[in-house]
Amino acid sequence: MRPISNVVDVTNYVMLEYGQPLHAFDFNKLRGRQIIVRRARADEVMTTLDGSDRTLKSNLLVIADKERAVAVAGIMGGADSEVTDSTTTVLIESANFNRAAVHAGSLELKLSTEASLRFEKGLSPELAMVALKRATQLMQELTGAKVAKGIIDVYPGKKQIEPITLSIGEVQRLLGIEMKTPDMVEALELLGFRCSLKKASQQVEVNVPWWRVDVTCRADLVEELARVLGYENIPTTMLSSALPSYEPTPALSLRQRIRSIMVSCGFQEILTYSLTSMEVMQKVLPQLNTMGSQPLKVANPMSREMEYLRATLRSGVLAILARNQRYQQRGYKLFELGKVFLPQQGTLPQEKEMLCVVLSGSQDELFWRGGAESSDFFVAKGVVESLLSRLGLVASFSPGNDNGLRPGRNATIAIGNEIIGIIGELHPKVRATFDLTETAFLIELDVEKILPMVMTTYRYQPIPKYPSVTRDIALVLDESVTYQQVYNIVCDSPLVTQISLFDLYRGEQVPAGKKSLAFRIMYQSGTHTLSDKEVDEVQQRFLVRLAKELGAALRV
């Protein structure tokens, strides 16, 4: 700490020695030769010791003389009453302030000091007198000062500190061992506690010293005894009662399952801060400029980069991806599972559990027989299908219009009629703002929407013992028809257990504006062996439906 003068240095020294902040006033500068503790007047102005003029609000606690505020209580003194080289008479103030009042005042003024940090943590009221006497002693010894008689002590609402009664049974209940009262008294008195025996030596009445503000109940005293006894000397014993029954938490279980599945798919989990800046969020969510409700801003941000609660996981994940691309040369597979805070008009933001996944670059290790394949949309889509299938869910995909993803290369993910997320290639503009050197693919899933879908009772059935029938068909379709549309119609047919797309063709044998999709379809029954006639009937029914609804025709 910066040395100032022998008087001020004594107050700082005692604060470091005892933990009690003190303040020295030039007594001759106090108007009315008195100090008063009061609330600040509305828009009252005072100059603090750091030379700043501060406008005070009426909720702030101040130390004042007869006419004006001369210090902000528990935070900083005023320049008008500071001790200087010309000071001849000093008034020492040693006080105990409400920790909440000091904390609120520090935030209000954006002023944090050595004194305010200590008051905010809570100090013993008895410490004020001890520190005052110590400071007076040092000033007398080091400055040759004459000490005025008496101490002005104002302590409204003083409460008598009640002793704590500790019994042998309580010690045995918490530690599992028996301790005799003389041993308990000896251990506690060595630590500064004052003890007296009660009720035939079965109980000890303990008075807590002023410097032990952490000891407030019997359990704290038992902890002190255990510390003196030595934790290694407490024997291991069986529990006296059964453990509480396990109560599952579906949300926690789902998060753990998602993490396990993503790691098994080769992804690495990352953790980013929940606080971010508006500039970073607008890189991936440009619509924040026009939203009616702004993201929640922190009242006392640690830095400009941590002013707002994040409304998306994308910004943190992409920032980590960009950092990794600057230092590595291989593929990247990252995910984060965490909360976002979506702004709402006129109320607190909505907290949602989200999963954000990003993959970029080659996904396989270099191999002497061939190069590695790069990530693409279908690799990302396979990750989504793998995750959801292992959760017992089946997703459908349809064209999306997310502003942060490349047009024509993104899709919405739905389960039934519920949209649960998006997938797609990162928009080139977003890529540029994060200085990403490679194409990246993003997946975002709403975990809260998935939760009720996985909380179902599973029904198991034996593996079918009858053989399956496999047939290949090729369909000529309009370019606008998607695989998902064909999949939904075919899988809706009875006996169809699996459908796989294995070929896409555009060429001479297919008319302009058309494409050919080839499928392998598996038929199977759980009750009997299928005949060709049964398969032909099922296939003919969905071909008629495909022709009617999608304009599909068999390619011959």
Side-chain angles (χ1 to χ4, degrees):
M1 297 183 71
R2 181 172 61 91
I4 299 174
S5 66
N6 53 1
V7 173
V8 178
D9 291 350
V10 163
T11 60
N12 289 334
Y13 178 83
V14 173
M15 179 182 67
L16 296 175
E17 184 181 22
Y18 285 85
Q20 171 68 46
L22 301 168
H23 188 69
F25 294 95
D26 186 328
F27 187 63
N28 294 324
K29 294 179 182 179
L30 296 175
R31 298 172 186 175
R33 300 295 182 91
Q34 63 179 338
I35 57 172
I36 305 166
V37 182
R38 61 169 171 82
R39 294 287 178 179
R41 303 186 183 100
D43 297 325
E44 186 173 6
V45 179
M46 69 167 289
T47 303
T48 50
L49 288 173
D50 57 1
S52 301
D53 292 332
R54 301 184 184 275
T55 301
L56 309 179
K57 294 185 178 180
S58 58
N59 62 324
L60 293 177
L61 193 66
V62 298
I63 310 297
D65 59 17
K66 189 175 182 180
E67 300 177 7
R68 63 199 169 152
V70 292
V72 183
I75 301 175
M76 184 175 283
D80 293 340
S81 59
E82 70 174 320
V83 173
T84 63
D85 293 342
S86 61
T87 299
T88 59
T89 307
V90 173
L91 172 67
I92 307 174
E93 173 236 342
S94 179
N96 185 276
F97 298 108
N98 180 279
R99 63 169 76 181
V102 175
H103 180 67
S106 180
L107 293 180
E108 180 74 34
L109 298 175
K110 294 182 173 58
L111 181 61
S112 179
T113 63
E114 293 285 347
S116 68
L117 291 175
R118 286 167 171 79
F119 279 122
E120 287 174 11
K121 291 179 174 65
L123 298 175
S124 170
E126 308 301 322
L127 180 58
M129 186 64 71
V130 176
L132 176 65
K133 292 181 178 179
R134 172 63 170 159
T136 304
Q137 173 197 359
L138 289 175
M139 286 188 189
Q140 185 181 32
E141 293 177 358
L142 300 176
T143 68
K146 180 183 292 184
V147 181
K149 292 182 179 180
I151 294 174
I152 299 174
D153 183 14
V154 180
Y155 193 164
K158 183 175 182 179
K159 295 181 180 179
Q160 188 68 29
I161 300 177
E162 297 293 332
I164 301 173
T165 301
L166 181 64
S167 66
I168 294 176
E170 185 70 5
V171 175
Q172 184 174 0
R173 186 181 71 85
L174 294 176
L175 293 186
I177 60 173
E178 293 186 10
M179 281 192 76
K180 297 180 179 179
T181 49
D183 296 333
M184 293 165 51
V185 170
E186 181 183 8
L188 292 173
E189 287 185 342
L190 287 173
L191 296 174
F193 296 88
R194 290 185 292 108
C195 304
S196 58
L197 297 179
K198 290 180 62 179
K199 293 186 178 179
S201 301
Q202 294 298 308
Q203 292 181 329
V204 179
E205 196 173 74
V206 183
N207 291 280
V208 181
W210 58 264
W211 63 84
R212 292 303 304 269
V213 293
D214 58 314
V215 178
T216 59
C217 61
R218 291 176 295 178
D220 293 333
L221 292 175
V222 174
E223 184 179 4
E224 295 299 308
L225 292 174
R227 189 164 60 87
V228 173
L229 179 63
Y231 297 124
E232 70 281 0
N233 295 321
I234 299 176
T236 302
T237 57
M238 293 296 292
L239 295 175
S240 60
S241 59
L243 288 173
S245 59
Y246 170 70
E247 295 184 6
T249 51
L252 178 60
S253 176
L254 177 59
R255 288 197 295 268
Q256 292 172 340
R257 289 173 65 189
I258 290 175
R259 286 191 175 98
S260 177
I261 294 170
M262 294 305 299
V263 170
S264 70
C265 290
F267 285 79
Q268 289 184 318
E269 184 177 10
I270 61 175
L271 297 173
T272 61
Y273 289 111
S274 298
L275 297 173
T276 184
S277 65
M278 181 66 76
E279 292 79 5
V280 172
M281 282 193 289
Q282 286 176 342
K283 289 181 179 181
V284 292
L285 292 178
Q287 64 268 31
L288 281 175
N289 290 322
T290 57
M291 290 179 65
S293 299
Q294 289 293 314
L296 192 66
K297 187 175 182 180
V298 180
N300 56 330
M302 298 174 60
S303 66
R304 192 169 179 272
E305 291 74 27
M306 293 187 174
E307 284 187 315
Y308 292 89
L309 286 172
R310 65 188 179 192
T312 176
L313 296 179
R314 298 186 195 183
S315 54
V317 171
L318 294 178
I320 297 297
L321 175 63
R323 185 182 305 169
N324 278 269
Q325 284 188 350
R326 290 195 292 269
Y327 295 107
Q328 299 182 12
Q329 299 179 355
R330 302 301 308 149
Y332 315 95
K333 302 173 75 173
L334 308 172
F335 79 94
E336 180 171 16
L337 186 61
K339 287 188 180 296
V340 298
F341 306 86
L342 305 179
Q344 298 184 109
Q345 187 70 38
T347 183
L348 292 176
Q350 176 190 7
E351 294 187 33
K352 294 193 74 173
E353 191 85 22
M354 300 291 291
L355 172 68
C356 187
V357 183
V358 66
L359 58 161
S360 176
S362 58
Q363 297 304 306
D364 301 313
E365 295 295 330
L366 290 176
F367 186 47
W368 66 273
R369 295 182 61 183
E373 294 185 0
S374 296
S375 301
D376 59 17
F377 177 87
F378 298 102
V379 173
K381 182 170 177 282
V383 172
V384 175
E385 291 175 332
S386 178
L387 170 63
L388 295 179
S389 65
R390 292 173 64 176
L391 292 175
L393 304 173
V394 177
S396 60
F397 300 83
S398 58
N401 57 354
D402 191 284
N403 292 332
L405 302 179
R406 189 166 183 173
R409 299 190 183 181
N410 70 87
T412 60
I413 307 168
I415 297 176
N417 296 324
E418 184 77 40
I419 296 176
I420 63 165
I422 57 94
I423 178 176
E425 181 183 333
L426 205 63
H427 198 290
K429 291 183 179 179
V430 177
R431 215 176 89 192
T433 59
F434 284 93
D435 297 325
L436 295 173
T437 59
E438 299 181 62
T439 302
F441 295 87
L442 187 82
I443 303 166
E444 200 169 54
L445 296 177
D446 189 332
V447 178
E448 290 193 1
K449 289 184 178 179
I450 296 174
L451 178 60
M453 300 177 183
V454 299
M455 294 175 60
T456 57
T457 302
Y458 293 97
R459 297 181 65 86
Y460 294 90
Q461 58 186 18
I463 298 173
K465 58 183 178 180
Y466 299 99
S468 61
V469 177
T470 302
R471 290 191 180 180
D472 295 345
I473 63 170
L475 300 174
V476 178
L477 303 150
D478 291 336
E479 284 285 0
S480 59
V481 176
T482 64
Y483 160 78
Q484 189 70 48
Q485 291 174 288
V486 178
Y487 178 90
N488 291 340
I489 292 175
V490 175
C491 283
D492 193 38
S493 304
L495 303 181
V496 174
T497 58
Q498 187 177 333
I499 176 173
S500 302
L501 174 68
F502 66 86
D503 184 56
L504 167 64
Y505 175 75
R506 297 180 181 91
E508 297 177 358
Q509 300 175 2
V510 177
K514 300 282 187 176
K515 63 184 176 183
S516 172
L517 297 179
F519 299 90
R520 178 159 294 165
I521 303 172
M522 181 182 293
Y523 305 84
Q524 193 170 31
S525 171
T527 60
H528 64 281
T529 300
L530 293 176
S531 64
D532 289 341
K533 182 180 179 181
E534 287 179 293
V535 174
D536 290 341
E537 290 177 354
V538 171
Q539 183 166 301
Q540 187 59 37
R541 281 198 294 269
F542 70 65
L543 286 175
V544 171
R545 187 178 169 191
L546 287 170
K548 182 178 180 180
E549 297 182 18
L550 304 179
L554 272 176
R555 180 182 167 197
V556 294

